[in-house]
Short mmCIF file of all heavy atoms in Angstrom, two decimals:
data_model
loop_
_atom_site.label_atom_id
_atom_site.label_comp_id
_atom_site.label_asym_id
_atom_site.label_seq_id
_atom_site.Cartn_x
_atom_site.Cartn_y
_atom_site.Cartn_z
N MET A 52 145.17 134.51 -80.88
CA MET A 52 145.48 133.92 -79.57
C MET A 52 146.53 134.76 -78.84
O MET A 52 146.39 135.06 -77.65
CB MET A 52 145.98 132.49 -79.75
CG MET A 52 146.32 131.79 -78.44
SD MET A 52 146.83 130.06 -78.66
CE MET A 52 148.42 130.29 -79.45
N GLU A 53 147.57 135.14 -79.58
CA GLU A 53 148.62 135.95 -78.97
C GLU A 53 148.11 137.34 -78.60
O GLU A 53 148.42 137.86 -77.53
CB GLU A 53 149.82 136.06 -79.92
CG GLU A 53 150.56 134.74 -80.12
CD GLU A 53 151.72 134.89 -81.07
OE1 GLU A 53 152.27 136.00 -81.17
OE2 GLU A 53 152.09 133.90 -81.73
N TYR A 54 147.33 137.94 -79.51
CA TYR A 54 146.85 139.29 -79.23
C TYR A 54 145.96 139.32 -77.99
O TYR A 54 146.16 140.15 -77.10
CB TYR A 54 146.07 139.84 -80.43
CG TYR A 54 145.57 141.25 -80.19
CD1 TYR A 54 146.42 142.34 -80.36
CD2 TYR A 54 144.27 141.49 -79.76
CE1 TYR A 54 145.99 143.63 -80.12
CE2 TYR A 54 143.82 142.79 -79.52
CZ TYR A 54 144.68 143.86 -79.70
OH TYR A 54 144.25 145.13 -79.46
N ASP A 55 145.00 138.42 -77.90
CA ASP A 55 144.11 138.41 -76.74
C ASP A 55 144.87 138.08 -75.46
O ASP A 55 144.58 138.63 -74.40
CB ASP A 55 142.99 137.38 -76.95
CG ASP A 55 141.88 137.93 -77.84
OD1 ASP A 55 141.92 139.13 -78.17
OD2 ASP A 55 140.99 137.15 -78.23
N GLY A 56 145.86 137.16 -75.57
CA GLY A 56 146.67 136.84 -74.39
C GLY A 56 147.48 138.03 -73.91
O GLY A 56 147.56 138.30 -72.70
N MET A 57 148.08 138.77 -74.86
CA MET A 57 148.87 139.95 -74.48
C MET A 57 147.99 141.04 -73.89
O MET A 57 148.36 141.70 -72.92
CB MET A 57 149.63 140.47 -75.70
CG MET A 57 150.75 139.57 -76.18
SD MET A 57 151.59 140.27 -77.63
CE MET A 57 152.43 138.82 -78.25
N ARG A 58 146.81 141.27 -74.50
CA ARG A 58 145.91 142.29 -73.96
C ARG A 58 145.48 141.94 -72.54
O ARG A 58 145.32 142.82 -71.68
CB ARG A 58 144.68 142.44 -74.86
CG ARG A 58 144.92 143.15 -76.17
CD ARG A 58 145.43 144.58 -76.01
NE ARG A 58 144.55 145.44 -75.28
CZ ARG A 58 143.66 146.28 -75.83
NH1 ARG A 58 143.51 146.30 -77.14
NH2 ARG A 58 142.94 147.08 -75.08
N HIS A 59 145.28 140.63 -72.28
CA HIS A 59 144.93 140.20 -70.92
C HIS A 59 146.07 140.50 -69.95
O HIS A 59 145.84 141.01 -68.85
CB HIS A 59 144.62 138.70 -70.92
CG HIS A 59 144.25 138.15 -69.57
ND1 HIS A 59 142.98 138.21 -69.05
CD2 HIS A 59 145.02 137.54 -68.62
CE1 HIS A 59 142.96 137.67 -67.85
NE2 HIS A 59 144.19 137.25 -67.57
N LEU A 60 147.30 140.19 -70.37
CA LEU A 60 148.45 140.44 -69.51
C LEU A 60 148.66 141.93 -69.26
O LEU A 60 149.15 142.33 -68.19
CB LEU A 60 149.72 139.85 -70.14
CG LEU A 60 149.84 138.33 -70.15
CD1 LEU A 60 151.08 137.91 -70.94
CD2 LEU A 60 149.92 137.79 -68.72
N LEU A 61 148.30 142.76 -70.25
CA LEU A 61 148.52 144.19 -70.12
C LEU A 61 147.30 144.93 -69.58
O LEU A 61 147.20 146.15 -69.72
CB LEU A 61 148.93 144.78 -71.47
CG LEU A 61 150.30 144.34 -71.99
CD1 LEU A 61 150.66 145.04 -73.28
CD2 LEU A 61 151.39 144.57 -70.94
N GLY A 62 146.39 144.20 -68.97
CA GLY A 62 145.35 144.85 -68.16
C GLY A 62 144.00 145.06 -68.79
O GLY A 62 143.21 145.86 -68.26
N ARG A 63 143.69 144.36 -69.89
CA ARG A 63 142.35 144.54 -70.44
C ARG A 63 141.34 143.87 -69.52
O ARG A 63 141.52 142.74 -69.09
CB ARG A 63 142.22 143.96 -71.85
CG ARG A 63 140.85 144.25 -72.47
CD ARG A 63 140.81 144.09 -73.96
NE ARG A 63 141.03 142.70 -74.38
CZ ARG A 63 140.99 142.32 -75.66
NH1 ARG A 63 140.79 143.20 -76.62
NH2 ARG A 63 141.20 141.05 -75.97
N LEU A 64 140.24 144.56 -69.25
CA LEU A 64 139.21 144.07 -68.34
C LEU A 64 138.26 143.13 -69.07
O LEU A 64 138.18 143.14 -70.30
CB LEU A 64 138.44 145.26 -67.76
CG LEU A 64 139.30 146.33 -67.05
CD1 LEU A 64 138.43 147.51 -66.63
CD2 LEU A 64 140.02 145.73 -65.84
N PRO A 65 137.51 142.29 -68.34
CA PRO A 65 136.54 141.39 -68.98
C PRO A 65 135.52 142.13 -69.83
O PRO A 65 134.99 141.58 -70.80
CB PRO A 65 135.87 140.69 -67.79
CG PRO A 65 136.89 140.75 -66.69
CD PRO A 65 137.61 142.04 -66.89
N SER A 66 135.24 143.39 -69.52
CA SER A 66 134.29 144.18 -70.29
C SER A 66 134.86 144.60 -71.64
O SER A 66 134.13 145.07 -72.52
CB SER A 66 133.90 145.44 -69.51
OG SER A 66 135.04 146.26 -69.28
N GLY A 67 136.19 144.44 -71.83
CA GLY A 67 136.84 144.84 -73.07
C GLY A 67 137.56 146.17 -72.96
O GLY A 67 138.32 146.54 -73.84
N GLU A 68 137.31 146.90 -71.89
CA GLU A 68 137.98 148.18 -71.69
C GLU A 68 139.38 147.97 -71.16
O GLU A 68 139.70 146.95 -70.54
CB GLU A 68 137.17 149.04 -70.70
CG GLU A 68 135.78 149.40 -71.21
CD GLU A 68 135.00 150.22 -70.19
OE1 GLU A 68 135.52 150.42 -69.07
OE2 GLU A 68 133.89 150.66 -70.51
N GLN A 69 140.24 148.96 -71.41
CA GLN A 69 141.63 148.86 -70.97
C GLN A 69 141.76 149.35 -69.54
O GLN A 69 141.40 150.47 -69.21
CB GLN A 69 142.53 149.70 -71.88
CG GLN A 69 144.00 149.71 -71.48
CD GLN A 69 144.63 148.32 -71.55
OE1 GLN A 69 144.41 147.57 -72.49
NE2 GLN A 69 145.40 147.97 -70.53
N GLY A 70 142.28 148.48 -68.67
CA GLY A 70 142.54 148.86 -67.30
C GLY A 70 143.98 149.32 -67.13
O GLY A 70 144.69 149.56 -68.11
N PRO A 71 144.44 149.47 -65.90
CA PRO A 71 145.82 149.90 -65.64
C PRO A 71 146.82 148.86 -66.18
O PRO A 71 146.59 147.66 -66.08
CB PRO A 71 145.90 149.99 -64.11
CG PRO A 71 144.48 150.07 -63.66
CD PRO A 71 143.67 149.31 -64.64
N THR A 72 147.90 149.33 -66.76
CA THR A 72 148.93 148.42 -67.25
C THR A 72 149.76 147.91 -66.08
O THR A 72 149.88 148.58 -65.05
CB THR A 72 149.85 149.13 -68.26
OG1 THR A 72 150.38 150.31 -67.68
CG2 THR A 72 149.06 149.51 -69.51
N PRO A 73 150.36 146.73 -66.21
CA PRO A 73 151.14 146.16 -65.09
C PRO A 73 152.41 146.95 -64.82
O PRO A 73 152.91 147.69 -65.67
CB PRO A 73 151.45 144.75 -65.57
CG PRO A 73 151.39 144.83 -67.06
CD PRO A 73 150.32 145.83 -67.38
N ALA A 74 152.94 146.75 -63.63
CA ALA A 74 154.13 147.49 -63.21
C ALA A 74 155.35 147.14 -64.05
O ALA A 74 156.25 147.97 -64.22
CB ALA A 74 154.42 147.21 -61.73
N TRP A 75 155.39 145.90 -64.62
CA TRP A 75 156.57 145.50 -65.38
C TRP A 75 156.59 146.10 -66.79
O TRP A 75 157.58 145.99 -67.50
CB TRP A 75 156.67 143.98 -65.46
CG TRP A 75 155.43 143.27 -65.90
CD1 TRP A 75 154.43 142.80 -65.10
CD2 TRP A 75 155.05 142.97 -67.24
NE1 TRP A 75 153.43 142.21 -65.86
CE2 TRP A 75 153.79 142.30 -67.17
CE3 TRP A 75 155.63 143.18 -68.49
CZ2 TRP A 75 153.12 141.85 -68.31
CZ3 TRP A 75 154.97 142.73 -69.63
CH2 TRP A 75 153.73 142.08 -69.53
N LEU A 76 155.48 146.73 -67.22
CA LEU A 76 155.47 147.41 -68.50
C LEU A 76 154.57 148.65 -68.38
O LEU A 76 153.45 148.68 -68.88
CB LEU A 76 154.94 146.50 -69.62
CG LEU A 76 155.11 147.03 -71.06
CD1 LEU A 76 156.59 147.22 -71.39
CD2 LEU A 76 154.46 146.08 -72.06
N PRO A 77 155.08 149.67 -67.71
CA PRO A 77 154.25 150.86 -67.44
C PRO A 77 154.15 151.79 -68.65
O PRO A 77 154.75 152.88 -68.68
CB PRO A 77 154.99 151.52 -66.27
CG PRO A 77 156.42 151.16 -66.49
CD PRO A 77 156.41 149.78 -67.12
N ILE A 78 153.41 151.39 -69.66
CA ILE A 78 153.23 152.23 -70.84
C ILE A 78 151.85 152.87 -70.79
O ILE A 78 150.96 152.45 -70.04
CB ILE A 78 153.37 151.41 -72.14
CG1 ILE A 78 152.32 150.29 -72.20
CG2 ILE A 78 154.76 150.83 -72.26
CD1 ILE A 78 152.31 149.51 -73.50
N HIS A 79 151.69 153.92 -71.59
CA HIS A 79 150.39 154.60 -71.63
C HIS A 79 149.34 153.66 -72.24
O HIS A 79 149.64 152.87 -73.15
CB HIS A 79 150.50 155.87 -72.47
CG HIS A 79 149.32 156.78 -72.31
ND1 HIS A 79 148.16 156.64 -73.04
CD2 HIS A 79 149.13 157.85 -71.48
CE1 HIS A 79 147.30 157.58 -72.68
NE2 HIS A 79 147.87 158.34 -71.73
N ALA A 80 148.13 153.75 -71.75
CA ALA A 80 147.07 152.85 -72.20
C ALA A 80 146.83 152.95 -73.70
O ALA A 80 146.47 151.95 -74.35
CB ALA A 80 145.78 153.16 -71.44
N SER A 81 147.06 154.11 -74.30
CA SER A 81 146.81 154.28 -75.73
C SER A 81 147.81 153.50 -76.59
O SER A 81 147.57 153.26 -77.78
CB SER A 81 146.86 155.76 -76.10
OG SER A 81 148.15 156.31 -75.84
N LEU A 82 148.97 153.13 -76.00
CA LEU A 82 149.99 152.39 -76.74
C LEU A 82 149.79 150.88 -76.68
O LEU A 82 150.44 150.15 -77.42
CB LEU A 82 151.38 152.74 -76.21
CG LEU A 82 151.86 154.18 -76.41
CD1 LEU A 82 153.21 154.38 -75.74
CD2 LEU A 82 151.94 154.52 -77.89
N VAL A 83 148.91 150.43 -75.80
CA VAL A 83 148.72 148.98 -75.61
C VAL A 83 148.29 148.29 -76.90
O VAL A 83 148.86 147.25 -77.27
CB VAL A 83 147.72 148.71 -74.47
CG1 VAL A 83 147.36 147.22 -74.41
CG2 VAL A 83 148.32 149.15 -73.14
N PRO A 84 147.29 148.80 -77.65
CA PRO A 84 146.91 148.12 -78.90
C PRO A 84 148.05 148.01 -79.90
O PRO A 84 148.21 146.98 -80.55
CB PRO A 84 145.77 149.00 -79.45
CG PRO A 84 145.22 149.70 -78.26
CD PRO A 84 146.40 149.94 -77.37
#
């Protein structure tokens, strides 16, 4: 529950691909997982 919620907040798209990260946590997409 926490993992999916965090991935949603950090820009994961409905397709499952990683989108742009939000401005409040501008980290590289590869670090999101």
